[in-house]
Amino acid sequence: MRRIQFFEFHELAWFPSSLRDGITDALQFGIHQLRAYAPVVPLLENALDATGSRLIVDMCSGAGGPWIDLARQLDARMPSRSAENRLAPEILLTDKYPNLGAFENVKVASGNRVDFYPAPVDAMNVPEELQGLRTMFTSFHHFPPEEARAILQNAVAANNGIGVFELPRRAPSTILLTFAFVFMLFVCTPWIRPFRWSRLLWTYLIPILPFVLLFDGVVSCLRTYRPEELREMVAKLNGSEYRWEIGEAAGGRIPITYLVGCPRV
Ligand SMILES: C[S@@+](CC[C@H](N)C(=O)[O-])C[C@H]1O[C@@H](n2cnc3c(N)ncnc32)[C@H](O)[C@@H]1O
């Protein structure tokens, strides 16, 4: 199955921001319910240890993605870590088009454990003041190869670690799961927070949200980079020496494609 770039509705400039927020809210809800990114916690811990970072700068955060659950899991594992690595990292959500309402909700729901940066942050040009381990969840596939490489190159130029994690996969089994995922979101829509009557309207009366979730979900799978493509990409980066770990984490319900890069000390 070859990678296709194609488009997703929620990334188009003319797509209404209220519907875009409906999509990222639903994604955040589904990923949180399924604890879909739980298998990447050890990878995050290793990257924090390798870089000595005490700040995680999450890029392309949408409505917060998996961070309420991941913050809890990272904190729960702190007591079992070595004394010098026992300090819980700060977590900062960022986005080029920050959904401040959703960021506030995540901050409250996480007991202030997850904070956010209110100004726009472009993953290809992260402000110098944000020094830390960069992360990206369910987002890297949006970028065509040149832009995806620019995101990695920007992290390398800043000598910051970076972790890219992708739930979609270019695999028939994951494309089929996308249908089940959207059906689950369709049924669970009344429980998605913040509660909005408009969410019910655009789901049950005029089902734009389920249609876009399904379309964008399938396209996401077809755009996701495979581990061998990620290896080719990092081979073209210039600058400091990095150690790259690239593969698929299979410990959870759905395999997660990952790329983790840390400067060699
Ligand atoms: C699929 S959504 C959110 C994924 C989110 N991490 C999650 O797990 O639910 C992708 C996000 O990327 C953001 N985005 C698009 N281009 C960007 C860029 N160049 N830099 C930073 N964020 C960008 C969009 O605003 C959108 O919120």
Side-chain angles (χ1 to χ4, degrees):
M1 206 183 278
R2 282 188 45 198
R3 179 177 188 276
I4 58 153
Q5 185 55 43
F6 217 44
F7 71 92
E8 291 176 51
F9 279 106
H10 81 275
E11 69 188 11
L12 298 173
W14 55 260
F15 194 72
S17 58
S18 56
L19 289 178
R20 182 180 299 121
D21 292 348
I23 298 293
T24 50
D25 287 348
L27 204 57
Q28 195 273 339
F29 175 87
I31 286 172
H32 178 73
Q33 295 304 315
L34 295 175
R35 310 276 185 273
Y37 281 109
V40 313
V41 172
L43 293 168
L44 283 173
E45 276 185 338
N46 291 343
L48 286 167
D49 293 351
T51 55
S53 303
R54 286 293 154 252
L55 173 68
I56 292 178
V57 179
D58 188 57
M59 306 185 293
C60 304
S61 299
W67 276 110
I68 297 177
D69 185 47
L70 289 184
R72 255 186 228 140
Q73 294 201 44
L74 281 173
D75 290 355
R77 290 165 65 110
M78 283 297 148
S80 60
R81 288 156 58 76
S82 61
E84 72 269 25
N85 291 323
R86 214 167 277 166
L87 203 60
E90 282 179 52
I91 299 157
L92 211 56
L93 306 177
T94 74
D95 201 285
K96 190 173 177 183
Y97 310 104
N99 178 347
L100 296 178
F103 283 1
E104 276 290 353
N105 285 338
V106 172
K107 185 172 176 176
V108 171
S110 68
N112 290 334
R113 188 61 192 82
V114 180
D115 209 337
F116 61 90
Y117 189 78
V121 172
D122 186 334
M124 284 176 272
N125 190 15
V126 174
E128 263 177 41
E129 69 195 81
L130 297 180
Q131 294 292 323
L133 172 67
R134 300 182 186 184
T135 55
M136 274 179 92
F137 287 85
T138 331
S139 305
F140 199 64
H141 60 269
H142 283 279
F143 299 91
E146 269 319 294
E147 292 182 10
R149 200 178 74 84
I151 289 171
L152 301 178
Q153 187 64 62
N154 189 256
V156 170
N159 212 36
N160 285 171
I162 182 161
V164 166
F165 306 99
E166 290 279 40
L167 189 59
R169 271 194 330 149
R170 243 158 63 217
S173 56
T174 308
I175 293 174
L176 270 180
L177 278 175
T178 305
F179 284 79
F181 185 65
V182 172
F183 181 71
M184 178 195 95
L185 293 175
F186 183 76
V187 173
C188 295
T189 289
W191 287 275
I192 298 179
R193 292 293 175 269
F195 179 85
R196 288 199 186 100
W197 287 107
S198 60
R199 201 191 301 286
L200 302 188
L201 168 75
W202 298 122
T203 300
Y204 298 118
L205 284 182
I206 308 169
I208 290 183
L209 287 175
F211 169 76
V212 172
L213 277 165
L214 189 60
F215 182 91
D216 287 4
V218 171
V219 172
S220 294
C221 289
L222 298 174
R223 290 168 120 187
T224 302
Y225 295 98
R226 290 215 170 113
E228 56 273 23
E229 292 161 338
L230 295 171
R231 281 188 202 103
E232 276 173 32
M233 202 180 281
V234 300
K236 293 181 191 149
L237 298 175
N238 310 311
S240 359
E241 276 278 288
Y242 264 58
R243 188 170 53 80
W244 296 100
E245 274 183 68
I246 295 170
E248 284 183 354
R253 290 187 170 95
I254 306 167
I256 308 291
T257 306
Y258 65 85
L259 168 153
V260 180
C262 300
R264 284 186 200 275
V265 276

